[in-house]
Amino acid sequence: MSHRIFRIASMGQQPAPADYRALDKGRDLSDTLLDSLQRPLRDLRISVTDRCNLRCTYCMPREVFDQSHSFLPRTELLTFEEIERLARLFIRLGVRKIRLTGGEPLLRRGIEQLIERLARLQTATGEPLEIALTTNAVLLARKAQGLKDAGLSRVTVSLDGLSDAAFRRMSDSEVDVATVLAGIDAAQAVGLGPIKVNMVVRRGVNEHEIVPMAERFRHSGIVLRYIEFMDVGSTNGWRMDDVVTASEILHQIAEHFPLEPIDPNYSGEVAARWRYADGAGEVGVIASVSQTFCHECTRLRLATDGKLYTCLFAGEGLDLRAPLRQGESDRVLTNLIADRWERRTDRYSQLRHAAAGQPEHPVKKVEMSYIGG
Ligand SMILES: Nc1nc2c(ncn2[C@@H]2O[C@H](COP(=O)(O)OP(=O)(O)OP(=O)(O)O)[C@@H](O)[C@H]2O)c(=O)[nH]1
Ligand SMILES: C[S@@+](CC[C@H](N)C(=O)[O-])C[C@H]1O[C@@H](n2cnc3c(N)ncnc32)[C@H](O)[C@@H]1O
Ligand code: SF4
Ligand code: SF4
């Protein structure tokens, strides 16, 4: 396996400040913006903080994200005004859905004000923008009503097991499952749905929770999605052996509750959908390791400090904060973003798959808590 193919992910030069002048020109936005693999831009994920109140072992292992870890200082974060300005430009380039994430997005002070600003925006086709938020739900019970009032469309909650023992092992915390379930109940009560629950499955840690979780969310109207443990970042000690594949997961569930495949809700959906044959609802599997979906990837990620990443597994981002704070025009920023998308060649998961799960990384991948999950 050569190093070369993994070098493809998101490499690209930051233009020198002087080059911004050359980008100060109008752009025809009537055609769909496509990357070099003919994928449109549709989905923007914004990391609003790199901090978190949990220490999930697969995302922010405590031994790395401890007291000595330098989180970004406040001045380095994009302000709400800056995020709103960029969001407008992304929408003009085709974005229809914005997902707020992190780190833990409910830790960002005044997140409701950001949602209010975004909720006023319309997509290029005149429809309201869909604004979703992914959260560990530790603070959701007390914040659900405010989020709804601010204009949030829906929430996705991460929960890796129903027993406190498994949940605490995965999240490396003392939080109990009841707190997360209370958050889900509150979100449902205020109408922050359709609600989805994401469960990362790690072999030998929480695979015994697959069936109890299915049982808990059947008949609830909530869509549970199982996620294969991924090699995001550089610190989570990922090994292919620890991945419980989507087919293993589905097999376990189907032994108790027969399943039937159903069509995706939209092109490029990351979860493959299955419904319970007895009509109890649906589940999804996100097979980002065993059945990759790069060929339909329409996602762009704006990290906490304003760097733009064209792949979850990128090593380098395009700095948008510098031109923003240097007072560059919307035209410059739009051209910067559009040019980056047009040059995009990322398909990391597909290449990892082709290499039988043995990537050799020439670049240090950024952490998921910073780039946004
Ligand atoms: N490899 C890879 N994994 C992804 C990507 N996007 C999402 N995932 C994984 O899928 C998980 C679930 O993502 P969500 O944000 O809940 O999924 P989504 O498809 O945007 O959600 P919906 O809008 O509800 O369909 C993430 O936490 C990641 O683990 C991606 O672009 N690449
Ligand atoms: C990074 S978190 C940020 C939002 C919020 N803190 C939460 O946990 O919902 C977003 C999603 O990424 C998923 N995730 C994090 N690390 C992962 C990994 N190594 N493999 C698969 N999914 C991962 C989490 O389970 C979560 O659903
Ligand atoms: S997955 Fe979410 S809750 Fe867990 S450590 Fe990462 S950012 Fe925090
Ligand atoms: S690895 Fe994920 S983020 Fe990167 S191109 Fe593939 S689907 Fe998109």
Side-chain angles (χ1 to χ4, degrees):
M1 167 56 23
S2 91
H3 277 205
R4 202 166 53 84
I5 61 167
F6 289 102
R7 206 180 280 277
I8 290 168
S10 281
M11 297 299 274
Q13 298 296 312
Q14 179 79 30
D19 294 339
Y20 292 144
R21 249 172 282 138
L23 294 171
D24 199 358
K25 55 181 184 216
R27 185 180 193 102
D28 179 7
L29 298 176
S30 55
D31 288 337
T32 304
L33 182 70
L34 296 173
D35 72 4
S36 66
L37 301 175
Q38 301 302 302
R39 298 169 294 191
L41 167 62
R42 292 285 177 251
D43 183 346
L44 175 67
R45 309 164 81 92
I46 305 176
S47 174
V48 293
T49 175
D50 58 341
R51 293 165 197 261
C52 189
N53 40 7
L54 300 184
R55 285 291 179 273
C56 303
T57 55
Y58 51 79
C59 177
M60 295 180 78
R62 196 175 285 282
E63 58 280 15
V64 178
F65 294 89
D66 59 7
Q67 306 231 318
S68 66
H69 179 78
S70 311
F71 289 99
L72 290 166
R74 204 173 168 74
T75 51
E76 301 253 326
L77 310 189
L78 288 186
T79 64
F80 292 162
E81 201 174 4
E82 288 167 336
I83 293 175
E84 182 192 347
R85 177 160 172 222
L86 289 176
R88 276 182 202 281
L89 305 182
F90 285 114
I91 288 169
R92 281 176 28 204
L93 292 171
V95 163
R96 294 175 186 167
K97 176 173 83 183
I98 291 184
R99 179 172 294 281
L100 300 176
T101 176
E104 174 46 43
L106 297 186
L107 288 181
R108 178 78 188 253
R109 201 173 309 145
I111 183 80
E112 299 82 358
Q113 289 151 33
L114 173 63
I115 293 167
E116 268 172 28
R117 285 171 178 262
L118 298 176
R120 288 188 217 118
L121 306 180
Q122 287 200 327
T123 61
T125 52
E127 286 145 39
L129 178 71
E130 185 178 7
I131 309 168
L133 177 139
T134 309
T135 173
N136 60 31
V138 173
L139 301 172
L140 188 56
R142 75 183 83 141
K143 286 195 164 260
Q145 187 65 59
L147 295 168
K148 175 73 183 172
D149 293 346
L152 186 67
S153 316
R154 60 192 174 92
V155 290
T156 297
V157 172
S158 304
L159 174 63
D160 298 333
L162 273 188
S163 71
D164 281 335
F167 175 69
R168 287 176 176 169
R169 237 182 120 192
M170 290 294 278
S171 63
D172 195 2
S173 74
E174 292 304 309
V175 173
D176 47 25
V177 172
T179 303
V180 180
L181 294 176
I184 295 173
D185 287 347
Q188 225 174 3
V190 303
L192 274 175
I195 295 173
K196 295 181 181 172
V197 169
N198 282 346
M199 170 180 176
V200 174
V201 187
R202 197 167 180 174
R203 192 178 302 286
V205 185
N206 68 337
E207 54 192 312
H208 58 286
E209 296 281 335
I210 292 172
V211 175
M213 284 283 283
E215 206 159 8
R216 171 65 176 74
F217 291 106
R218 276 162 50 82
H219 298 289
S220 67
I222 290 171
V223 178
L224 171 62
R225 298 174 325 159
Y226 300 88
I227 308 177
E228 291 179 351
F229 171 42
M230 290 190 289
D231 52 333
V232 285
S234 311
T235 61
N236 72 4
W238 183 86
R239 297 180 322 148
M240 188 68 197
D241 289 350
D242 293 338
V243 179
V244 181
T245 63
S247 63
E248 290 177 80
I249 293 168
L250 289 168
H251 188 75
Q252 275 205 37
I253 302 169
E255 275 191 350
H256 298 261
F257 312 112
L259 293 169
E260 298 163 351
I262 43 178
D263 289 338
N265 284 309
Y266 57 93
S267 152
E269 186 171 15
V270 299
R273 300 170 65 210
W274 296 76
R275 77 174 151 230
Y276 293 112
D278 63 3
E282 68 173 84
V283 286
V285 280
I286 300 176
S288 20
V289 178
S290 69
Q291 294 160 41
T292 59
F293 37 75
C294 299
H295 61 290
E296 287 191 317
C297 181
T298 58
R299 288 171 285 283
L300 199 49
R301 293 178 154 83
L302 183 61
T304 319
D305 59 357
K307 291 219 175 66
L308 188 66
Y309 291 89
T310 52
C311 180
L312 182 53
F313 296 90
E316 276 181 37
L318 173 73
D319 184 8
L320 292 180
R321 194 187 64 198
L324 257 178
R325 293 191 180 171
Q326 283 158 25
E328 296 296 344
S329 66
D330 280 358
R331 296 190 334 167
V332 168
L333 291 164
T334 303
N335 283 317
L336 262 178
I337 299 164
D339 288 355
R340 179 53 59 106
W341 187 263
E342 282 176 334
R343 281 190 283 113
R344 175 182 189 244
T345 55
D346 305 274
R347 51 192 184 107
Y348 175 89
S349 295
Q350 203 181 329
L351 297 173
R352 179 220 303 110
H353 191 256
Q358 298 298 321
E360 299 171 61
H361 307 297
V363 288
K364 194 166 183 263
K365 291 176 289 176
V366 292
E367 295 300 321
M368 197 158 180
S369 48
Y370 154 79
I371 195 175

